[in-house]
């Protein structure tokens, strides 16, 4: 692991790091904020998965989470959204290819050789975080924005018992039935819709996956609300499965980091309450 930068913030350290990933076959960059803590202490971890077109830098620069993490004693980890670099396939559209990994393990050429983001997020990066940082992986939470909200929900649902807390900002809750998701899942996984279900939060819940509870914030001025996000589908799935869902439709907020940064500290505190229990 190579350290690219470190800065002191709110008594802790905000770092950006790079490592050679076996899962993606590329170098991957991620950021980690470690709050102030006693020597030898192990701290709970909150994962943040970013959305379309983003890297680790979007939330690191705009998220406004460090004060809350310092107050709550929570490590904040923000990986990239896809493999990148020479020889990595890409697409001209913003919603497919580099910057749009959708947190899947691709099975279709030419994506399969590098786009193994599920393996990277679920296995490889947690192993690195546990080895290099004072992280207690018995106390993990996960959240994310948009495509990353989709990732947070599906990672948690596929790994029962791993995460004590799960939340999302404007998540794509049913990618199998919305344009962003249909394009991505068909491109990475092929046309067999049965293979898509493991990457669709509503389908996973319908198929029996469960989490203890969910917190979801969506802006009612989000231009993607009705076509791409469809939070009412998650509400219906959770109601049918008796999963407690707190769905907050925030008046006047859009899809941007002005929205995310307004409520991210609130999410950090919500996760911390459950991670410390």
């Amino acid at each position: 692991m190579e350290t690219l930068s470190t800065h002191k913030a709110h008594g802790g350290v905000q770092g950006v790091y790079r490592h050679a990933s076996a899962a993606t076959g590329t170098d991957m960059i991620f950021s980690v904020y470690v709050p102030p803590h006693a020597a030898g202490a192990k701290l709970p971890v909150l994962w943040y998965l970013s959305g379309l077109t983003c890297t680790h830098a979007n939330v690191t620069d705009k998220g406004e989470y460090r004060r809350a993490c310092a107050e709550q004693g929570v490590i904040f980890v923000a990986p990239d959204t896809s493999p990148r670099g020479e020889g990595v396939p890409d697409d001209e559209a913003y919603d497919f290819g580099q910057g749009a990994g959708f947190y899947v393990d691709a099975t279709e050429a030419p994506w399969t050789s590098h786009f193994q983001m599920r393996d990277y997020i679920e296995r490889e990066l947690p192993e690195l975080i546990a080895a290099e940082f004072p992280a207690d992986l018995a106390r993990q939470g996960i959240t994310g924005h948009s495509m990353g909200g989709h990732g947070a929900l599906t990672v948690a649902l596929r790994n029962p018992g791993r995460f004590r807390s799960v939340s999302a900002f404007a998540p794509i809750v049913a990618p199998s039935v919305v344009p962003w998701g249909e394009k991505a899942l068909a491109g990475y996984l092929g046309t067999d819709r049965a293979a898509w279900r493991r990457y669709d939060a509503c389908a996973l819940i319908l198929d029996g996956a469960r989490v203890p509870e969910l917190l979801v914030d969506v802006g009612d001025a989000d231009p993607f609300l009705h076509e791409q996000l469809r939070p009412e589908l998650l509400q219906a799935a959770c109601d049918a499965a008796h999963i407690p869902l707190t769905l907050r439709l925030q008046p006047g907020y859009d899809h941007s980091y002005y929205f995310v940064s307004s409520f991210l500290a609130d999410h950090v505190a919500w996760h911390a309450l459950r991670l410390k229990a």
Side-chain angles (χ1 to χ4, degrees):
M1 188 182 73
E2 177 186 1
T3 300
L4 300 181
S5 67
T6 57
H7 299 279
K8 188 167 183 176
H10 298 284
V13 176
Q14 175 66 66
V16 177
Y17 308 91
R18 177 168 55 207
H19 74 115
S21 166
T24 68
T26 66
D27 283 352
M28 296 293 289
I29 296 176
F30 61 95
S31 75
V32 180
Y33 177 71
V34 179
H37 60 282
K42 292 287 189 178
L43 306 177
V45 177
L46 178 59
W47 297 86
Y48 179 94
L49 305 185
S50 294
L52 286 168
T53 76
C54 292
T55 70
H56 70 283
N58 297 76
V59 70
T60 305
D61 294 346
K62 302 175 184 178
E64 301 180 25
Y65 56 85
R66 278 171 285 269
R67 180 184 294 277
C69 286
E71 292 172 349
Q72 300 291 344
V74 174
I75 293 174
F76 191 96
V77 182
D80 201 348
T81 54
S82 79
R84 303 174 191 271
E86 185 177 352
V88 177
D90 199 6
D91 189 89
E92 293 181 355
Y94 77 96
D95 56 355
F96 194 67
Q98 294 187 36
F102 272 82
Y103 305 99
V104 307
D105 280 352
T107 57
E108 296 293 301
W111 313 102
T112 185
S113 58
H114 295 292
F115 281 71
Q116 302 295 308
M117 288 300 294
R118 173 182 175 179
D119 186 36
Y120 180 69
I121 295 297
E122 291 187 2
R123 181 193 58 81
E124 185 177 28
L125 188 55
E127 291 175 357
L128 182 64
I129 296 299
E132 299 289 343
F133 298 92
D136 178 6
L137 295 192
R139 294 183 292 159
Q140 296 185 80
I142 191 166
T143 189
H145 172 228
S146 192
M147 179 186 73
H150 140 77
L153 295 176
T154 57
V155 169
L157 286 162
R158 285 194 305 265
N159 293 275
R162 178 182 293 192
F163 300 97
R164 293 191 183 183
S165 53
V166 188
S167 74
F169 297 87
I172 306 168
V173 304
S176 297
V177 297
V178 302
W180 276 342
E182 289 182 312
K183 177 180 180 179
L185 298 180
Y188 293 133
L189 305 175
T191 57
D192 180 6
R193 286 177 173 261
W196 299 5
R197 297 184 70 82
R198 73 196 70 163
Y199 299 108
D200 182 309
C202 290
L204 283 164
I205 292 170
L206 183 62
D207 292 345
R210 298 290 183 267
V211 291
E213 61 180 321
L214 292 171
L215 170 64
V216 173
D217 276 313
V218 184
D220 72 359
D222 191 318
F224 306 114
L225 178 61
H226 300 295
E227 183 181 28
Q228 305 281 13
L229 306 182
R230 305 289 304 276
E232 73 279 3
L233 298 180
L234 181 64
Q235 182 73 73
C238 287
D239 287 348
H242 306 291
I243 297 174
L245 167 64
T246 301
L247 176 60
R248 306 190 300 195
L249 200 62
Q250 302 291 0
Y253 285 90
D254 58 19
H255 198 72
S256 71
Y257 266 90
Y258 295 106
F259 157 62
V260 175
S261 65
S262 296
F263 301 100
L264 188 48
D266 185 34
H267 279 236
V268 169
W270 184 87
H271 283 273
L273 184 64
R274 287 149 182 82
L275 294 174
K276 295 175 181 179

